[in-house]
């Protein structure tokens, strides 16, 4: 069986360093808010090119805390609107409604599956305070049109970078060299997830906020620690949302290999793109002028997502051929019971994507033989 994602094989590939990092934490006798978290925050901020990184419990909390901090600062209030992709994992939207803000759903571009930048402006109102940009499946979603809107309307850019650790936004300039920025560093603040299946994953839940805003970083750090900057003194009504020492140590072990692992994902994606030749299977298309081999990669292939009108049949066929696949995501947020008040909304592009997408196996430890077998099966479908 070719697993969709073989987490044991991925973690085994980091041995013995991974076990040694766990032992280091056990031997230290210090399990929360210690040096492992401190050093990981410094290392991840340095990798992304941001001033601040605050380790938190998970990716959802990272987004919740960003919005909560803006409310504390008085820059947002209940009922304010946040532009968000209609085609996203529900956590992006949960973070907004949890803060009693209003999600404004915008359809994706069918080419990239990311937020369509040219459908945003018509949804902006006097109550719009931010665009939450989701780099879905690992592909950069930033666009020059989004930069224009942020400047024109003086609104925040909040990145959901949960699936795109290591991806770049390449900013072209007329007559000048291209500027490259890591996703997670291009907005006012960004939320990150280190869920085990992510490109940079720990052995449980974990997340982080990155920002260049000193005041925002200070408030988020306090909010994540019971609203406290000083023990037993709570300045804000905060949460308990902290990255622990064990997960930080594991992430420190994995971070130096992130770029190499993402490059391996590129090699697999390139093989898929060049060799899958089946007219009923629609392959992903990079929404970028930059070649897949470019060192500043705009897509880190957290997921390799195809589309077909025969999704269920294809998934069953792959299973019979010992190939696991998953659906990301079978029910769009506006059709979830959690948001039943949106059930009458018409979002046809999002709904079509949800009805047709299928994620193929993708991980840096897949063998060439695995990839070839998958391609052969797809071409014979």
């Amino acid at each position: 069986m070719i697993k969709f994602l073989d987490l044991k094989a991925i973690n085994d590939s980091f041995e013995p360093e991974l076990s040694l990092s766990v032992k280091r934490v056990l031997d230290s006798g210090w399990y929360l808010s210690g040096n492992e978290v401190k050093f990981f925050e410094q290392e991840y901020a340095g990798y992304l090119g941001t001033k601040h990184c605050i380790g938190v419990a998970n990716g959802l909390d990272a987004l919740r805390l960003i919005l909560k901090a803006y409310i504390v600062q008085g820059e947002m209030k209940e009922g304010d609107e946040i532009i968000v992709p209609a085609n996203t994992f529900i956590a992006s939207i949960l973070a907004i409604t949890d803060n009693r803000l209003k999600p404004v759903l915008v359809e994706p571009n069918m080419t990239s599956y990311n937020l369509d930048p040219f459908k945003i402006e018509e949804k902006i109102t006097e109550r719009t305070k931010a665009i939450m940009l989701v780099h879905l499946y690992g592909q950069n979603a930033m666009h020059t049109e989004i930069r224009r809107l942020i400047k024109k309307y003086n609104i925040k850019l909040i990145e959901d970078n949960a699936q795109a650790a290591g991806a770049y936004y390449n900013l072209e300039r007329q007559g000048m060299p291209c500027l490259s920025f890591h996703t997670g560093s291009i907005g006012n603040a960004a939320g990150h997830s280190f869920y085990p299946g992510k490109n940079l994953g720990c052995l449980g839940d974990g997340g982080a906020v990155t920002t260049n805003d000193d005041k925002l970083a200070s408030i988020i750090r306090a909010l994540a620690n019971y609203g406290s900057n000083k023990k037993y003194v709570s300045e804000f009504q905060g949460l308990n949302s902290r990255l622990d020492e064990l997960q930080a140590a594991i992430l420190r072990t994995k971070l130096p290999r992130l770029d190499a692992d993402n490059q391996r994902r590129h090699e697999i994606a390139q093989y898929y793109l060049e060799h899958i030749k089946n007219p009923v299977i629609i392959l992903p298309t990079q929404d970028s002028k930059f070649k897949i081999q470019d060192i500043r990669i705009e897509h880190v292939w957290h997921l390799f997502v195809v589309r077909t009108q025969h999704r269920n049949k294809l998934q069953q066929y792959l299973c019979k051929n010992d190939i696991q696949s998953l659906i990301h995501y079978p029910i769009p947020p506006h059709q979830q019971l959690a948001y039943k008040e949106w059930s009458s909304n018409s979002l046809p592009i999002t709904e079509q994507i949800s009805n047709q997408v299928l994620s193929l196996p993708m991980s840096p430890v897949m063998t060439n033989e695995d990839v070839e077998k998958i391609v052969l099966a797809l071409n014979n479908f």
Side-chain angles (χ1 to χ4, degrees):
M1 171 67 75
I2 298 176
K3 293 183 178 181
F4 176 76
L5 183 67
D6 192 338
L7 287 177
K8 185 178 186 305
I10 290 172
N11 289 322
D12 285 348
S13 73
F14 285 95
E15 292 295 357
E17 290 82 5
L18 204 63
S19 291
L20 290 173
S21 70
V22 172
K23 187 175 187 302
R24 186 172 70 239
V25 174
L26 293 175
D27 290 346
S28 74
W30 195 282
Y31 309 120
L32 282 170
S33 304
N35 284 332
E36 297 292 345
V37 171
K38 174 185 174 182
F39 291 140
F40 171 71
E41 289 177 342
Q42 293 172 355
E43 290 158 8
Y44 195 54
Y47 173 81
L48 293 177
T50 60
K51 288 177 67 176
H52 303 281
C53 171
I54 304 101
V56 299
N58 54 68
L60 172 56
D61 275 6
L63 297 174
R64 290 171 67 206
L65 286 160
I66 291 167
L67 295 170
K68 191 173 180 68
Y70 279 127
I71 292 170
V72 166
Q73 287 187 171
E75 296 191 48
M76 296 181 188
K77 62 182 182 300
E78 182 176 339
D80 282 344
E81 297 172 354
I82 310 294
I83 300 287
V84 65
N87 182 46
T88 185
F89 181 55
I90 199 167
S92 312
I93 293 169
L94 289 171
I96 299 170
T97 57
D98 183 70
N99 280 287
R100 300 193 177 190
L101 301 168
K102 180 182 178 182
V104 177
L105 307 183
V106 176
E107 287 267 61
N109 178 307
M110 186 57 99
T111 299
S112 67
Y113 307 131
N114 272 325
L115 180 66
D116 189 332
F118 299 103
K119 292 180 178 175
I120 296 174
E121 190 163 19
E122 65 189 38
K123 297 294 184 73
I124 294 176
T125 72
E126 292 180 354
R127 303 213 70 172
T128 304
K129 298 299 181 183
I131 297 171
M132 182 175 287
L133 192 63
V134 182
H135 304 296
L136 195 67
Y137 305 153
Q139 182 167 200
N140 161 60
M142 188 55 178
H143 191 280
T144 51
E145 172 67 5
I146 295 174
R147 295 182 68 88
R148 183 186 74 83
L149 295 174
I150 291 164
K151 185 175 181 180
K152 177 179 178 180
Y153 293 100
N154 190 30
I155 54 180
K156 306 291 184 187
L157 178 64
I158 299 168
E159 295 175 81
D160 182 341
N161 201 54
Q163 298 185 6
Y168 280 93
Y169 166 52
N170 293 302
L171 176 62
E172 288 187 284
R173 302 180 297 171
Q174 279 192 329
M176 300 183 72
C178 171
L179 291 175
S180 295
F181 306 90
H182 265 302
T183 60
S185 72
I186 53 183
N188 297 91
H192 306 257
S193 169
F194 306 125
Y195 182 79
K198 295 298 196 292
N199 291 32
L200 178 63
C202 53
L203 297 187
D205 276 320
V209 175
T210 53
T211 183
N212 291 315
D213 185 326
D214 295 341
K215 183 179 179 183
L216 188 73
S218 177
I219 292 173
I220 289 172
R221 191 172 292 281
L223 285 171
N225 185 39
Y226 302 99
S228 173
N229 279 310
K230 182 180 179 183
K231 195 167 185 177
Y232 303 132
V233 179
S234 291
E235 185 178 352
F236 312 109
Q237 296 179 25
L239 312 172
N240 173 20
S241 182
R242 295 172 293 194
L243 184 68
D244 66 64
E245 287 287 281
L246 184 61
Q247 305 305 340
I250 289 161
L251 292 167
R252 292 185 67 203
T253 302
K254 291 186 172 185
L255 180 59
R257 215 180 77 187
L258 177 59
D259 287 342
D261 284 349
N262 283 342
Q263 184 58 42
R264 175 56 182 160
R265 289 173 178 268
H266 267 273
E267 293 168 2
I268 294 167
Q270 184 74 26
Y271 191 89
Y272 279 154
L273 292 169
E274 291 178 355
H275 292 89
I276 297 173
K277 307 288 185 182
N278 188 322
V280 303
I281 297 173
I282 301 169
L283 298 175
T285 304
Q286 288 185 278
D287 191 18
S288 168
K289 298 177 184 178
F290 292 83
K291 295 180 180 178
I292 196 168
Q293 296 93 346
D294 196 290
I295 190 169
R296 302 301 191 187
I297 52 178
E298 291 204 7
H299 198 327
V300 293
W301 300 102
H302 171 59
L303 298 172
F304 190 96
V305 180
V306 300
R307 281 194 298 119
T308 178
Q309 293 181 359
H310 313 283
R311 196 249 314 273
N312 292 342
K313 288 183 178 179
L314 176 56
Q315 188 169 37
Q316 291 167 10
Y317 165 82
L318 290 174
C319 185
K320 289 178 182 177
N321 283 272
D322 294 327
I323 299 168
Q324 286 185 339
S325 60
L326 294 177
I327 300 170
H328 298 89
Y329 300 96
I331 305 173
H334 72 283
Q335 293 183 337
Q336 298 279 359
L337 283 175
Y339 296 107
K340 54 183 179 292
E341 65 272 21
W342 298 342
S343 60
S344 61
N345 287 11
S346 177
L347 295 163
I349 299 174
T350 296
E351 290 163 18
Q352 182 181 350
I353 290 170
S354 293
N355 289 330
Q356 295 183 347
V357 289
L358 187 67
S359 300
L360 303 182
M362 170 61 75
S363 87
V365 299
M366 287 174 65
T367 67
N368 290 342
E369 290 75 19
D370 289 338
V371 181
E372 291 166 5
K373 178 181 177 180
I374 292 164
V375 169
L376 181 62
L378 289 167
N379 287 341
N380 287 333
F381 173 67

